[in-house]
Amino acid sequence: MTTDPTVGVFGSNNARSTSPEDVAAGFVAPPQFWNILHRGNSVLTGPRGSGKTTLLKMLTVPALEAWDDPRAQEACAEADYSGVFVPADRSWAGQVDVVGEGFDDRLRVKLANASFVLHSLHAMVLCARWRSENRESSKRTHLHVTLGAEVEEEIARAVCGLWGLPAPAGSLYGLQLGVRDEISSLGDLARAGLGDESSETALREHHALHMDLIDVALPFIERFNHAAGDEDHVWAFLIDEIEFLPQGIQAMLVQAVRGRDPRVIQKVSIAPHTLTSMVQLNTPLGGWEGHDLQSVDLTFSEKEQGYPFSRSLVKREISDSPHRRAKGRAVSVAKLLGGEGFFERVPGEDAYGPGSANAKAITALAGFDDSFAAWLAKRHIDPASPWLVTGKRRSETLQKAIAIILLRCEFLHLVRGRLSPRTRKTTQVYVGEKAIFAICENNPRLLKAVVGKLLALQHGGKLRQGTRAEVVEACCNEYRLHLRAIEVERSVEDALLPRRLIDTIGAGFAAGIYGEQFDGEPPLSFEVSDEAKERHGLASMLQQLTHYGAIIPIGEDSYRLAHMFAPLYRLPLRKGRARSLASMLGVRTPQPDPEPKPVPVSAQLEIGDEAS
């Protein structure tokens, strides 16, 4: 079982063990939320911490009822189905694997399917109970029905036998307990079957091993819908992290989106690298994107697209924090994160005007970097008056290169006639509102962790530009450090180990930025050729790093480093032209220190346990 390397940074912000009501209490809707609300099958992808579990839980009745937002009623109207959240994650799927190790493959598959079906039925009954119970604490009522004790008993008794429960249930609560007991008894029987032939025989004959989720869910749905006076009401199974389910169950879920019954839909979350390898997706036997299902990606192809969401999220974190005020005044998002920032100055006619930061950097760099002066001369640009370059000519030269110009000016200087790196313990280059949004990849879990630390420092009166920089760099160092927790095969060569591979790529990009010859458009992404994919362990490592958000797919077989590594290798917060990964792996490049630099205790992010 793979350990999540982001635990130290992300651990306290995992929605998996949080109730739907508590998830709703702090929920800020990303634009993708409104894409998955519709009544239809959806596949939700994104790296860890991007909010897949949160969004699925927000489609449940209790979450929608508890959400305090101006658009909450609109969301309820759109989500006119009963959302059944099924936490089909590593917690119980892993237990099935452990228990089933002593059985043949066929029995293990059936045991896993039985566990999945029973957990799904348990979640469905919980949803039905919520819809039928009286509540006074909710912000609104959503899909509420009144059944009465006799109707509940009729439904529970009717499906009890169909589900193979040994004792009749007299209410929805009794049915819920019956399914829970059946899950426990199935586990006991499986453990007993490991060493006892008669118990194994009883296990093979167990009713649950032969159940199909849709087949056994429909009798309950039909009866509940009839009692509620809505025969065609839709139930949505919200299945989290299906990559942890056995392949057989994944295949069943994919086939089910072809619409076996219009009263059942599915919305599932899955790791990004798994989507393309899901069995039977976009095949005649499975569902087709755009027809049977909609694929929704929680990453932002352009970082600027996620800034409004990140700003709203930080604003909510500030308002919910006990540290939200400084000297009696509310803290703004910009003030907390450090204002405009180094890279994200407002563009326009004055961006390169006399006295501007851009103009000063161009003039200064040309003064000690002969290769940059030659680059300017070739384009007929006077470094003393860059504001004279306007329009298309500016956009094709200075605007494309300005991030590299700023970085070389910041981190290089002339020593005895040669360009040398400046020694800086921390840098404020990566501080500022948009810079922090970009470094966090608009990832809510990481952004919350960084903001929480900044709010604590602000409350203690210790928040300065320097301490902001320390927090950001501590976060990036800790993320890199925890990549060592990714499990890899023993046979994988050292060059492909997670941190070693990231270091090679980061150092390769840095060499293009800070080399002797100025390059206004250095490589900042990498391509993986078919030949490189054959290198043992590389394809698997790229999948793992994509899942954890360490590398970001930007095209077919092309990636960039996550911006959270930018402060470690002094990279710009943008993508650039691609370089062959094989060429980087084949050339020895300077490596950063194997361990992260120490940072002040005040800036260290707390390491917590992953929510179970």
Side-chain angles (χ1 to χ4, degrees):
M1 202 60 60
T2 302
T3 303
D4 183 356
T6 63
V7 166
V9 179
F10 298 148
S12 61
N13 294 304
N14 197 320
R16 187 180 302 133
S17 59
T18 307
S19 71
E21 299 95 315
D22 288 340
V23 168
F27 180 64
V28 174
Q32 296 93 333
F33 175 66
W34 304 100
N35 295 334
I36 66 168
L37 267 176
H38 72 289
R39 187 200 300 181
N41 298 301
S42 300
V43 176
L44 193 60
T45 64
R48 299 194 64 81
S50 58
K52 299 188 297 293
T53 302
T54 293
L55 262 63
L56 288 182
K57 282 196 173 183
M58 280 304 303
L59 301 180
T60 64
V61 174
L64 288 169
E65 287 189 343
W67 192 29
D68 186 12
D69 188 271
R71 299 187 67 183
Q73 197 59 50
E74 177 186 347
C76 287
E78 184 75 12
D80 59 347
Y81 46 80
S82 297
V84 179
F85 181 78
V86 184
D89 57 24
R90 68 190 78 184
S91 59
W92 63 264
Q95 293 169 4
V96 170
D97 288 341
V98 172
V99 171
E101 283 182 352
F103 301 131
D104 59 72
D105 290 344
R106 185 174 180 180
L107 180 55
R108 289 181 64 186
V109 170
K110 285 183 173 292
L111 181 59
N113 179 72
S115 182
F116 170 72
V117 170
L118 288 174
H119 276 84
S120 300
L121 295 180
H122 183 265
M124 184 173 65
V125 177
L126 277 176
C127 176
R129 280 191 60 206
W130 185 273
R131 286 189 57 193
S132 61
E133 291 180 350
N134 293 322
R135 297 176 301 281
E136 298 180 355
S137 59
S138 300
K139 300 290 182 183
R140 67 194 60 79
T141 58
H142 179 51
L143 302 178
H144 184 261
V145 297
T146 302
L147 297 183
E150 291 184 1
V151 174
E152 274 199 31
E153 182 178 2
E154 180 182 342
I155 295 173
R157 286 183 176 274
V159 300
C160 214
L162 295 172
W163 292 355
L165 304 183
S171 65
L172 292 179
Y173 179 62
L175 187 61
Q176 173 193 330
L177 294 180
V179 177
R180 172 56 62 185
D181 290 344
E182 192 72 355
I183 293 171
S184 298
S185 66
L186 181 63
D188 292 340
L189 187 58
R191 283 184 286 272
L194 290 173
D196 181 74
E197 186 175 341
S198 62
S199 295
E200 182 178 341
T201 300
L203 176 63
R204 291 180 182 275
E205 296 174 353
H206 195 283
H207 184 81
L209 267 66
H210 309 284
M211 293 196 305
D212 173 88
L213 176 58
I214 307 300
D215 288 346
V216 295
L218 281 175
F220 178 87
I221 290 173
E222 288 174 346
R223 287 168 172 80
F224 191 94
N225 284 1
H226 178 74
D230 187 358
E231 304 282 355
D232 298 324
H233 181 73
V234 173
W235 293 67
F237 285 94
L238 315 170
I239 307 173
D240 197 21
E241 295 187 309
I242 71 170
E243 65 268 19
F244 293 111
L245 294 173
Q247 284 287 322
I249 298 178
Q250 290 187 31
M252 179 270 291
L253 293 175
V254 174
Q255 291 179 49
V257 302
R258 291 300 298 267
R260 287 169 55 184
D261 192 285
R263 292 166 295 182
V264 178
I265 62 173
Q266 295 177 93
K267 296 181 183 292
V268 304
S269 75
I270 190 168
H273 71 266
T274 315
L275 180 62
T276 55
S277 62
M278 278 179 63
V279 291
Q280 298 177 343
L281 182 62
N282 290 339
T283 70
L285 295 178
W288 284 80
E289 293 182 65
H291 296 277
D292 303 302
L293 59 90
Q294 178 187 27
S295 179
V296 178
D297 185 7
L298 288 182
T299 58
F300 295 90
S301 57
E302 300 293 337
K303 63 182 187 295
E304 293 83 3
Q305 296 173 351
Y307 289 171
F309 164 66
S310 290
R311 191 171 292 109
S312 297
L313 183 66
V314 175
K315 188 176 181 180
R316 182 62 176 262
E317 289 296 298
I318 292 173
S319 66
D320 290 346
S321 170
H323 309 319
R324 63 184 178 274
R325 291 185 172 274
K327 298 180 180 179
R329 293 179 297 176
V331 181
S332 68
V333 173
K335 183 174 179 60
L336 179 71
L337 301 184
E340 183 181 60
F342 184 82
F343 289 113
E344 306 288 353
R345 299 184 178 99
V346 179
E349 289 300 318
D350 296 334
Y352 295 81
S356 67
N358 288 343
K360 289 179 179 178
I362 292 167
T363 303
L365 184 62
F368 67 84
D369 184 351
D370 291 342
S371 68
F372 176 58
W375 184 89
L376 291 173
K378 185 176 181 180
R379 289 155 180 80
H380 308 290
I381 298 173
D382 182 357
S385 53
W387 52 86
L388 297 179
V389 182
T390 60
K392 183 179 179 181
R393 186 162 163 255
R394 175 192 288 183
S395 65
E396 292 178 347
T397 55
L398 295 179
Q399 283 183 206
K400 278 189 175 181
I402 190 60
I404 309 303
I405 295 169
L406 292 170
L407 285 173
R408 285 177 72 91
C409 194
E410 178 75 8
F411 294 116
L412 293 178
H413 65 160
L414 207 60
V415 178
R416 297 172 184 171
R418 294 180 62 88
L419 290 175
S420 298
R422 294 179 187 270
T423 301
R424 297 186 185 276
K425 292 183 179 179
T426 59
T427 175
Q428 297 178 23
V429 167
Y430 300 98
V431 170
E433 183 178 358
K434 294 177 182 177
I436 290 177
F437 294 162
I439 288 169
C440 292
E441 299 287 348
N442 299 296
N443 181 303
R445 199 186 298 177
L446 180 55
L447 193 54
K448 286 181 178 183
V450 174
V451 168
K453 192 65 182 179
L454 293 175
L455 282 168
L457 289 174
Q458 174 264 322
H459 179 69
K462 300 178 181 179
L463 187 60
R464 305 287 187 275
Q465 256 345 41
T467 53
R468 286 187 184 91
E470 290 172 357
V471 166
V472 171
E473 192 155 344
C475 173
C476 298
N477 270 318
E478 188 173 353
Y479 188 88
R480 176 190 170 274
L481 176 65
H482 280 78
L483 290 179
R484 65 183 178 182
I486 293 178
E487 291 185 2
V488 296
E489 299 176 13
R490 291 183 178 274
S491 58
V492 171
E493 57 186 289
D494 288 349
L496 301 183
L497 294 175
R499 290 190 297 168
R500 193 72 64 85
L501 181 58
I502 293 295
D503 286 344
T504 297
I505 296 169
F509 291 159
I513 296 171
Y514 301 105
E516 291 186 5
Q517 294 300 314
F518 177 84
D519 184 349
E521 298 182 72
L524 291 171
S525 62
F526 62 93
E527 294 177 332
V528 185
S529 64
D530 291 338
E531 181 182 358
K533 290 177 187 176
E534 296 177 1
R535 193 164 178 169
H536 180 69
L538 178 58
S540 174
M541 185 53 57
L542 293 175
Q543 289 181 348
Q544 293 261 43
L545 293 172
T546 301
H547 178 47
Y548 291 113
I551 60 175
I552 311 296
I554 57 175
E556 187 174 357
D557 297 327
S558 63
Y559 306 82
R560 66 167 172 82
L561 279 186
H563 290 318
M564 66 182 69
F565 295 115
L568 305 185
Y569 308 108
R570 310 311 194 208
L571 307 178
L573 301 174
R574 65 176 177 85
K575 59 186 177 184
R577 62 184 176 90
R579 180 182 175 185
S580 164
L581 179 60
S583 69
M584 287 191 276
L585 290 172
V587 178
R588 295 183 63 85
T589 54
Q591 300 292 314
D593 294 335
E595 299 300 330
K597 295 182 294 184
V599 295
V601 173
S602 63
Q604 293 175 6
L605 294 175
E606 298 163 357
I607 298 179
D609 295 328
E610 182 179 15
S612 59

